[in-house]
Amino acid sequence: MRARAPLPDALLRDARLWRGNGQAPLRAEPTGHAALDALLPGGGWPCAALSEIVYPAPGAGELQLAMPLLVRLARAEQALAMVAPPHLPYAPGLVQQGLATQRLLVVDTRDEADALWAAEELLRARAGAVLLWQDAIAPTAQRRLQLAAEHGGGFALVYRCVARRDTASVAALRLGIERVAGSARVEVLKCRGARPDRACAIAA
Amino acid sequence: MLWLCLHLPRLPAEALGLRDPFDVVTEQRGASRWLITAGPNVAAGTPLGTALSLQPLLRPQPRHARAERAALLGLAYRLYHYGSPVHLEIREFAETGRVPQALLWVEIAASLRLFGGYDALRERLCAELAETGQHAQLSVAPTRAAAALLAGLGGAAPIRGLDALERRLAALPVTALPWPGAQLEALHGVGLRRLGELRALPRAAFARRFGAGRLLELDRLYGQAAEPAEAIVPPPRFRRRFELAGEIEQVEPLLFPLRRLAYELQAWLRARDVTLREVRLEALHAQRRRTRFTLRFLDAHRDGARILGGLQERLAREPLPAAVRALELQATELADACVVQTDLFARSDGQGEWTAAVERIAARLGAPAVWTPAPQADHRPERAWRSDGAGEAVTPRQRPLWLLQRPLPLPAMPAPPAAIERIESGWWDGDDQRRDYGVTEWQGQRAWVFRTPDGRWFLHGLWG
């Protein structure tokens, strides 16, 4: 039997090629949680893309999931924004996590349309990362955010506080987080370029 | 001297914000009314009755001389960065049926090299005029009078020298002169048709017959006499008013005049070499009522598009309380010009975009909705943060990432926290607090809870 020729490297490096459990190279930034990085294609948050975090209630460790990324971006003098957060982002706590809060902009909005618009504007204006809290986000809105993130080259993180995790999403990465017996557990619900449905615990 | 002259045939309509070709402006003297801007198939100067029989769809509007003058001044400031001095004139005629001429002159001989020649300058100027939809006929001549004459005839190739000017003028009809109709008729009566023939007359006889003033005007036209005039200098303050043709209730029709005001402000800032920090827009309603909109910029700048964008968002946020008759834009706070420092590396190129985006959001949602958190040195959790981004020291004790706006009473006692932190402070300013804080698990959340002296438990923060 003739030996199969190996696939060309250029083809293997293409993120559009899905190879079962093989991890396609993807431009990504480490999440700062080693156990989680190991599960993700590219080893972290996908760059210039939309990621979604599904959490049951504020306080599940959802912000700490993104904190190492925010700290690193702020240190690189990138602008950060939180749009329509569910509670007051508490400066003493943020500083204790190592975040340079003067790089952070908080936008309080009256309705979801305003929040979406503001997040899109900030992403297009080359924000390092924009965190948007919106539970019922339409697929078209997600696509707009995705395009804005591609345009500005930043990270778009959408927080959705929903009970059901199986709703459709166009996000490049979809993580679910919940607190089980005093520690946060992250589950990869969907990711571009690798097989999802894996979980790990993070310190939060 | 080389004068660039702009003849603005549609200024009376543009000053009122009329853009439709069927909107025409009329002048009235006694019972006679005539058009001073041209309509479709109707020339300017046509009596209104005749014009309406030719073109029944015309919408005539009376003239607003003050608005015209203000618009011309605004345009003069915009031309200021092309050269100096800048002069303007609205030529009025006593007879009925004649059309006033709005004229602007800029001396460009000194700045031609800067702009890379006349063609480049003209292109840039035309693009700038097109931005605000202004019609202009351009001409260039060594004297102001000649430039105005040529611009009034529709513009032509630039004339640089006096000899070329004399040749060009000789062929022009006498009727192009901005002289009273009776005088032009008298010239016609004696058989003088062309300017060349007029110029060939003996000077003494010409002065006796038509007046020494006319001879002087002719000398000025040919560059043989000085043309003194008051130069326009941008005033130290910017305050421009735009009269609308009618009462306007929606925001969309206001955008066009707003655009013109914003670009005039930009030109004024350039001419004065200052930058803008705060601007105020006033919408004037009936009975002297007015609505004020103040817009503050994060950093001083002189970008017309940014001013316009901010004002648009601001107007979209609050509905207008009543119909608007006029708009007034005022620069309320200025800053010195600063040379923009560009980074050698491309990292900071997004800074301007970011600032502009934040301003747009602040304009639409209100300034307090956009803030930057910072710690404040106070023991009480509610007062340990501020929203202006100026950071102070932070307590070494553990603090949550989310703070609840108002502590939430807990229906049951939570699992007892491992460590208790007593915060007792504020007896001096009326906000006395005595609370025992601790970290615990509450319904699948890592929670910051406290107990009051009377034994009630509250949720105050969360580790998101």
Side-chain angles (χ1 to χ4, degrees), chain B residues 35 41 65 67 83 234 325 375 422-423 449:
Chain B
L35 307 193
N41 299 327
R325 287 184 167 178
R422 170 156 294 188
I423 295 178
V449 297

Side-chain angles (χ1 to χ4, degrees), chain A residues 125-138:
Chain A
R126 301 184 194 286
V130 175
L131 282 62
L132 170 69
W133 277 264
Q134 198 160 99
D135 300 343
I137 185 165

Side-chain angles (χ1 to χ4, degrees), chain A residues 58-59 61-64 79 87-88 90-93 96 101 104-108 114 117 121 124-127 133 179, chain B residues 353-354 360 364-365 369-375 381 384-385 395 397 399-403 441 444-446 462-464:
Chain A
E62 74 281 358
L63 200 52
Q64 285 169 82
H87 297 295
L88 199 67
Y90 195 45
Q96 283 175 356
T101 51
L104 176 67
L105 189 78
V106 180
V107 182
D108 297 322
D114 275 349
W117 169 78
E121 286 281 310
R124 285 190 184 277
R126 301 184 194 286
W133 277 264
R179 244 179 123 71
Chain B
E353 270 176 77
W354 174 261
R360 270 199 303 281
R364 186 186 285 192
L365 305 177
V370 181
W371 53 283
T372 294
W385 66 281
T395 164
R397 301 295 197 110
R399 289 289 177 265
L401 297 176
W402 294 132
L403 190 75
E441 286 284 327
Q445 299 162 314
R446 190 160 169 227
L462 294 164
W463 272 266

Side-chain angles (χ1 to χ4, degrees), chain B residues 123-173:
Chain B
E123 211 164 278
R124 194 172 150 168
L125 179 62
C126 286
E128 201 177 310
L129 290 173
E131 221 160 52
T132 48
Q134 235 134 2
H135 294 263
Q137 296 167 358
L138 271 63
S139 75
V140 172
T143 66
R144 285 204 303 128
L149 202 63
L150 292 168
L153 289 171
I159 296 167
R160 309 236 175 179
L162 285 176
D163 295 338
L165 178 69
E166 197 168 342
R167 281 198 300 279
R168 177 86 178 87
L169 287 178
L172 292 184

Side-chain angles (χ1 to χ4, degrees), chain A residues 115-174:
Chain A
L116 201 63
W117 169 78
E120 208 182 321
E121 286 281 310
L122 293 171
L123 277 170
R124 285 190 184 277
R126 301 184 194 286
V130 175
L131 282 62
L132 170 69
W133 277 264
Q134 198 160 99
D135 300 343
I137 185 165
T140 47
Q142 289 182 339
R143 251 176 233 120
R144 291 182 63 137
L145 283 179
Q146 168 68 41
L147 286 178
E150 275 172 26
H151 178 268
F155 296 87
L157 304 184
V158 175
Y159 281 96
R160 296 176 73 176
C161 177
V162 282
R164 283 169 64 90
R165 292 173 164 201
D166 51 358
T167 46
S169 168
V170 302
L173 174 67
R174 200 152 184 258

Side-chain angles (χ1 to χ4, degrees), chain A residues 27-55:
Chain A
R27 215 157 58 82
E29 188 75 19
T31 59
H33 308 283
L36 181 59
D37 284 349
L39 297 183
L40 297 176
W45 300 106
C47 291
L50 174 71
S51 305
E52 197 176 289
I53 296 152
V54 181
Y55 65 107

